Amino acid sequence: MRDRGLMTTTEAQSTTDAELDAIFGPIFDRIAQGAVAREIDRTLPYHEVGELRAAKFGALRVPVELGGYGVTVRQLFRLLIELAAAESNLPQALRVHFSFVEDQLLAERGPERGRWLRAVAEGTLVGNAITEPGVGAVDRYRTTLTEDGGRWLLNGVKYYSTGSLYADYILAAADRNGERVGVLVDANAEGVRQHDDWDGFGQRLTASGTTEFTDVVVTEDRILGPGYGAPGPTYATSYLQLVQLAVLAGIAKRAERDIREWVAARTRGYTHSAADLPRHDPLVQQVIGRLSAAAFAAEASVLAVADVLDGVLASGAKDESALVAAELAAARAQLAVIDLVLPATSLLFEVGGASVVSEQLRLDRHWRNARTISVHNPAIQKARAIGDHLLNGADLPFAWSAGERTPAAGAAR
């Protein structure tokens, strides 16, 4: 029998898909209703995050006995796809939060692990501040954690602080005397300043802007471990990438749904169309069919990788061969999903004339958002890494999670 200390929520999950849909389906519908207006006005979805927080969306993977839903990785990603179809910015904003939860689930059982998982079940959300402007990441952090009179002070500037404006805590990466560490900071702590200055043409509402830390006091228990960028295989790279792919799959679902509803209601066609009504035109029908196929295949790819990650996380995420298999699966899915979704979000404009590009419809947001998501971890680099791995046995690129906590000696399981 497996040591119960290694059991994860996948072995004790008791929330069904039907129950999850009953809880979150109406919330997703309400979120979707305001998506175009928020896009036009650049209104950050604080209210929508509040609804998700109140329904404990951030606690999907937290065990039932600790106040969460205890769902599998597959169930989580199915819901992330549905949330992305409602509002593509939100799963990306919550990406590091869910990785942080996984890190706690994998940590040694003890008071700290239980405290953070219960906090998540009560609505706590975690954002991030990893990458720095101008210098990249991993081995070039200028953000420092220095000791000052028996306390630790955090100083530095971060960019791409996705989701942090919606979060209670910020997971930051810093240099401490030459060691890379992950640090958990209160989002409203003295010395923390956040800016919504992300200027990308897509995913504008992810709150992916600048975070400044000026002499922010960090207690010893908030220094979590080796930090983002430590060498070696990890589940986190494939997991974090898969959230981006779930966003793409959700965008494809919403794009197909939006254009299908638009065509179904349209009464004006072209003088040279094959039918009087656009919905009866076989060429228009073909476009809808191709969009539907792209959305289906993208979702299937994401869920296939989620199944792999379920196995990896259920066994403690220590088997190197399993971690490599998960990374390879996510890398392959990245190339496939991008190649499905980007053409689909452009193809949708073929069903109408000039009216289909109305600013009030904002159908261009699907392509802009998909294009923006797809450049995270450039696909050309991922394709090369896959080929080098398969041909030459080269290691796949990994990046360690900033939330990994070094197990305490003798900690109870």
Side-chain angles (χ1 to χ4, degrees), residues 78-362:
R78 186 181 72 84
L79 288 176
L80 288 176
I81 291 169
E82 293 300 322
L83 176 58
E87 171 58 86
S88 69
N89 293 276
L90 289 177
Q92 186 184 359
L94 296 171
R95 185 170 71 128
V96 170
H97 169 85
F98 283 110
S99 178
F100 174 81
V101 171
E102 293 296 344
D103 284 335
Q104 308 318 305
L105 291 171
L106 291 169
E108 297 284 348
R109 288 178 180 264
E112 282 296 293
R113 175 185 184 272
R115 180 168 72 89
W116 283 112
L117 289 175
R118 287 188 178 90
V120 169
E122 292 168 1
T124 292
L125 295 176
V126 177
N128 92 98
I130 305 295
T131 304
E132 301 186 4
V135 296
V138 184
D139 59 346
R140 289 169 286 178
Y141 293 142
R142 293 176 180 168
T143 298
T144 59
L145 190 65
T146 55
E147 193 168 12
D148 178 67
R151 61 180 187 168
W152 293 99
L153 297 180
L154 183 68
N155 284 278
V157 179
K158 298 288 189 176
Y159 194 53
Y160 302 117
S161 306
T162 307
S164 291
L165 281 170
Y166 309 125
D168 304 287
Y169 298 97
I170 301 171
L171 196 55
D175 181 279
R176 180 179 63 173
N177 301 323
E179 174 193 17
R180 294 185 295 273
V181 295
V183 179
L184 202 59
V185 179
D186 289 21
N188 62 355
E190 185 175 354
V192 176
R193 294 184 63 198
Q194 297 177 269
H195 309 275
D196 178 31
D197 56 355
W198 161 242
D199 65 350
F201 61 60
Q203 295 297 96
R204 292 170 171 170
L205 308 182
T206 55
S208 297
T210 301
T211 302
E212 301 175 67
F213 300 107
T214 306
D215 289 337
V216 180
V217 177
V218 178
T219 56
E220 192 73 38
D221 64 316
R222 297 291 184 84
I223 303 172
L224 301 182
Y228 192 88
T234 172
Y235 85 92
T237 313
S238 56
Y239 190 101
L240 290 167
Q241 184 67 68
L242 195 60
V243 176
Q244 308 289 44
L245 302 187
V247 173
L248 283 168
I251 289 171
K253 290 188 78 165
R254 175 56 59 181
E256 186 274 336
R257 193 177 308 168
D258 282 353
I259 202 64
R260 173 162 44 88
E261 291 174 353
W262 186 79
V263 168
R266 188 168 171 79
T267 58
R268 186 168 69 88
Y270 300 97
T271 56
H272 54 286
S273 296
D276 291 334
L277 292 175
R279 68 177 182 271
H280 293 153
D281 188 322
L283 297 178
V284 173
Q285 293 168 354
Q286 182 184 85
V287 170
I288 300 301
R290 290 173 64 183
L291 291 175
S292 177
F296 174 83
E299 181 170 21
S301 296
V302 170
L303 296 180
V305 182
D307 286 337
V308 176
L309 279 169
D310 256 325
V312 168
L313 292 166
S315 62
K318 298 297 183 183
D319 185 324
E320 183 168 331
S321 63
L323 292 171
V324 171
E327 182 65 21
L328 182 58
R332 286 167 165 166
Q334 178 183 353
L335 298 181
V337 171
I338 288 173
D339 283 351
L340 285 165
V341 176
L342 281 183
T345 54
S346 181
L347 179 65
L348 65 85
F349 293 100
E350 296 296 333
V351 302
S355 56
V356 80
V357 300
S358 167
E359 284 277 21
Q360 297 306 307
L361 296 174
R362 284 291 170 116

